[in-house]
Every structure is written in structure tokens, then in C-alpha cells.
Amino acid sequence: MDLQTLTKQIENLDAAPPFDKWHPPFCGDIDMVIKADGSWWYMGSPIGRERLVKLFASVLLKEGDEYFLKTPAEKVRIQVEDAPFVITQWQTHNTEEGPAIEVISNLGHAAVLSESHPLEVDNSNPDQPRPYVTLHRGLKALVHRNVFYQWVDIARQVNKNGEEHLVINSGKSEFSLGKL
């Protein structure tokens, strides 16, 4: 199987709402927060029903630095503390381009690490790097610490521009986990 076929099988892009056809009025802010751990809260209480959270997540989009829930009837702004999703699982698949890494979020979103779904590490605080994967509609998922440490275990050391990096590969793409 090639990487493109695998990616199409994993991503269910047909399920994406037709946001470009919806032009609802902005109805203001609602008291909904996606916490840094990936949990969803409404009016100070966690939303315990996963199906309800998945429904909200299906209409979540980011415009600039703000997050909205958008339906054909209304558009409301919500708060996101860090990233709306968390990568909690991963697995490898053998492809013609080499092993490919599939990531899975806390809500079951899946993607293959690639140029379309890159891994990027925010090193603004060198003592605590923050790795993110871009998922569907450009929404990001923070890579859970356990997953990150598992990737460190399989990473290889590579010299890039005179600096040593830990890197992982997915298909033909190479991603730095950070400088050594």
C-alpha cells in the first residue's frame, strides 16, 4: 500500500461540514472551554458525554487565533487553552515509502504524519518543548507526553545545519523532535 492510499483510508474528509457554504451570523461568545488536557467544559463543568463532545468538535474551526463552533444557523466563539485535541495513541504502517506513523487524538481523529499533517515542536520554553500535530481543517493536537517519550525512544540522531536533532520518519517525511 502506498502512503496516499493509507492516508485516504485513515482520514474521513467527506465527514467535514461544508463550512464554506455556511454564512451564519456571529452570535457572540459562549462559556465553553477546551482545557489544555483536551477536556471540554461548559459553564464551569466538564462535558461528560463523549458523543456530545464529538458533535461539538465536528463543527469546530479556527479563524486567526480564535475558535468557533459554526453551524448553518449560528457561529459562536469558544475558548481553547492550548490545542483543541491531544494525540493519545499512535501506530506505524508499512507503506511503499517506508513506515508511516498514524496518530490518533483523544476524540478518535486520525491522520498520518506527513507534509499535510506535520509534527511541529514549539521550543519557546526549551525546558518543556510542546509538540503538535496538525489534524483536519488545520486544527492542532498537542502530543501527549507519553507518546512524545515513545517517539524519543525510536528517534535517531541526525546532524542538521551543524546541530544534532532527534528525528522520526513517517513515509518520506522527516520530523525533528528537537535539538540535543
Side-chain angles (χ1 to χ4, degrees):
M1 174 182 309
D2 66 16
L3 191 57
Q4 187 173 11
T5 303
L6 174 66
T7 299
K8 284 181 183 176
Q9 286 180 356
I10 290 173
E11 298 170 2
N12 187 5
L13 299 179
D14 294 332
F19 288 124
D20 58 329
K21 296 179 183 176
W22 296 349
H23 305 288
F26 175 65
C27 297
D29 297 330
I30 62 170
D31 188 7
M32 185 175 288
V33 179
I34 304 174
K35 301 280 188 177
D37 66 0
S39 62
W40 289 58
W41 293 63
Y42 179 66
M43 296 183 69
S45 297
I47 301 172
R49 294 183 53 205
E50 186 174 336
R51 289 181 65 190
L52 185 58
V53 170
K54 286 182 176 183
L55 176 64
F56 288 137
S58 72
V59 294
L60 178 68
L61 72 134
K62 184 176 181 185
E63 294 178 356
D65 291 332
E66 298 179 318
Y67 291 87
F68 299 90
L69 300 179
K70 184 177 179 182
T71 70
E74 64 184 6
K75 177 179 172 182
V76 294
R77 184 175 25 234
I78 68 168
Q79 299 301 310
V80 177
E81 289 183 349
D82 188 358
F85 308 111
V86 178
I87 298 300
T88 57
Q89 301 174 51
W90 68 285
Q91 60 186 337
T92 58
H93 297 277
N94 290 322
T95 69
E96 293 171 4
E97 292 89 357
I101 296 175
E102 175 189 5
V103 296
I104 303 157
S105 79
N106 58 318
L107 294 181
H109 301 107
V112 175
L113 288 184
S114 62
E115 289 181 19
S116 300
H117 301 286
L119 167 68
E120 301 165 300
V121 180
D122 175 358
N123 285 307
S124 56
N125 179 354
D127 293 333
Q128 293 190 349
R130 310 257 321 151
Y132 298 91
V133 174
T134 302
L135 297 177
H136 58 290
R137 298 191 303 271
L139 296 170
K140 299 208 182 253
L142 175 67
V143 176
H144 192 278
R145 187 178 307 248
N146 290 343
V147 171
F148 185 72
Y149 288 151
Q150 290 170 21
W151 287 350
V152 167
D153 282 343
I154 65 163
R156 57 192 175 80
Q157 196 170 331
V158 172
N159 188 309
K160 290 181 160 213
N161 301 324
E163 298 177 320
E164 294 297 317
H165 285 254
L166 279 180
V167 300
I168 58 173
N169 288 78
S170 180
K172 292 182 178 180
S173 299
E174 181 177 87
F175 301 99
S176 174
L177 297 178
K179 292 185 240 178
L180 295 175

